[in-house]
């Protein structure tokens, strides 16, 4: 009986020892796993931070490149605008003679020889054309004087003032019709430059416009 008790006691002790070893091993395993998980979390966080830093550096680089490109484009545009502005400021407006002065100094006989019609017929033709195409397109000297008196009160008067300051006064409809009649009578385009201060190419365009849009239309 005593040997049986001793055997059972030894068996219980071995069981307790084994349980203790198992508990210690499981605790060590848990601590090791938690340490590995903690290290893995730190590694992932560090990896994310590195990726964020790289992305920030790339964005800063592209922003710098874009800013340089934008600044170069703006410098080119500003230099081009300055060149245009300087050219516009240095442009000398044309000083043209008025139809009233030319009409006053030409006699009736010379008027007929120049334009192949009497003066009243010319005035009637101007009136009919102005009624047909409108005063804004015909732009008689009376209409130009009205724009001058308006100053900058209307959009049309502001455009007229800007045109006068840049390239000179509008060419009145009477002058356009006179240029066309002179060219039809056999005059040269070069004569229009000496008489009305209109370049030959522009005189050609004026005669085509008068014939196609005013008379033949």
């Amino acid at each position: 009986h005593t040997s049986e008790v001793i055997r059972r006691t030894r068996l219980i002790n071995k069981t307790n020892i084994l349980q203790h070893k198992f508990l210690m091993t499981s605790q060590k395993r848990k601590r090791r796993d938690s340490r590995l998980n903690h290290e893995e979390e730190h590694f992932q966080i560090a990896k994310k931070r590195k990726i964020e830093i790289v992305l920030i550096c790339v964005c800063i680089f592209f922003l710098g490149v874009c800013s340089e490109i934008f600044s170069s484009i703006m410098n080119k545009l500003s230099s081009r605008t300055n060149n245009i502005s300087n050219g516009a400021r240095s442009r000398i407006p044309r000083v043209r003679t008025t139809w009233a002065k030319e009409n006053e100094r030409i006699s009736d006989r010379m008027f007929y020889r120049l334009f192949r019609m009497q003066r009243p017929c010319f005035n009637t033709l101007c009136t009919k054309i102005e009624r047909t195409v409108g005063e804004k397109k015909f732009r008689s000297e009376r209409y130009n004087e009205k724009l001058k008196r308006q100053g900058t009160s209307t959009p049309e008067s502001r455009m007229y003032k800007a045109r006068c300051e840049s390239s000179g006064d509008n060419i009145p409809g009477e002058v356009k019709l006179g240029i066309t009649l002179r060219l039809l009578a056999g005059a040269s385009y070069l004569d229009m430059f000496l008489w009305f201060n209109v370049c030959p190419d522009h005189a050609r365009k004026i005669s085509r416009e008068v014939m196609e849009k005013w008379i033949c239309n």
Side-chain angles (χ1 to χ4, degrees):
H1 180 72
T2 304
S3 63
E4 182 69 23
V5 171
I6 292 170
R7 188 179 64 79
R8 288 182 179 180
T9 303
R10 288 179 179 176
L11 182 62
I12 291 171
N13 290 333
K14 287 182 179 179
T15 304
N16 290 332
I17 291 170
L18 290 174
Q19 289 179 351
H20 181 70
K21 286 183 178 180
F22 178 76
L23 289 174
M24 291 297 293
T25 304
S26 62
Q27 288 178 358
K28 288 181 179 179
R29 188 179 299 167
K30 287 181 181 180
R31 285 196 298 270
R32 185 183 63 189
D33 292 340
S34 64
R35 186 175 67 253
L36 291 174
N37 291 331
H38 188 67
E39 290 178 355
E40 182 67 22
E41 289 178 357
H42 277 288
F43 177 75
Q44 293 295 334
I45 292 172
K47 186 177 180 180
K48 288 181 179 179
R49 287 180 180 176
K50 288 180 180 179
I51 293 173
E52 290 176 354
I53 292 171
V54 171
L55 290 176
I56 291 172
C57 292
V58 171
C59 292
I60 292 173
F61 174 75
F62 278 109
L63 286 175
V65 173
C66 292
S67 64
E68 290 181 359
I69 294 173
F70 181 75
S71 63
S72 64
I73 292 172
M74 292 302 296
N75 290 330
K76 289 181 180 179
L77 290 176
S78 62
S79 63
R80 183 178 178 184
T81 304
N82 291 330
N83 292 332
I84 294 174
S85 300
N86 293 329
R89 284 193 294 267
S90 61
R91 187 185 301 157
I92 300 175
R94 290 180 179 271
V95 179
R96 297 187 177 94
T97 182
T98 61
W99 176 254
K101 290 181 180 179
E102 297 301 321
N103 191 26
E104 184 179 356
R105 75 182 183 88
I106 299 173
S107 63
D108 293 338
R109 182 171 178 275
M110 183 59 67
F111 191 95
Y112 183 81
R113 292 184 63 186
L114 287 172
F115 302 108
R116 301 298 191 268
M117 65 175 62
Q118 300 292 338
R119 200 186 307 268
C121 182
F122 181 87
N123 295 333
T124 303
L125 182 59
C126 288
T127 303
K128 289 184 178 181
I129 292 174
E130 186 176 9
R131 289 176 182 175
T132 303
V133 301
E135 64 176 3
K136 292 182 180 180
K137 291 185 178 180
F138 187 74
R139 292 179 181 176
S140 63
E141 286 192 346
R142 183 180 66 258
Y143 178 75
N144 291 335
E145 290 294 331
K146 183 178 72 174
L147 292 179
K148 283 182 183 179
R149 290 193 299 270
Q150 289 177 356
T152 58
S153 59
T154 61
E156 293 179 3
S157 61
R158 288 194 291 268
M159 290 179 63
Y160 173 77
K161 184 178 179 181
R163 190 182 298 111
C164 291
E165 292 176 353
S166 61
S167 59
D169 199 353
N170 285 334
I171 299 176
E174 297 91 345
V175 173
K176 290 182 178 181
L177 183 59
I179 290 173
T180 304
L181 294 176
R182 279 299 302 143
L183 294 176
L184 291 174
S188 172
Y189 293 100
L190 299 174
D191 297 338
M192 302 303 104
F193 177 75
L194 295 175
W195 191 5
F196 296 112
N197 197 9
V198 177
C199 65
D201 292 336
H202 194 44
R204 189 181 294 108
K205 292 179 182 178
I206 288 172
S207 63
R208 187 181 300 114
E209 177 188 2
V210 172
M211 290 299 298
E212 292 179 354
K213 298 182 179 179
W214 290 7
I215 297 176
C216 298
N217 189 8

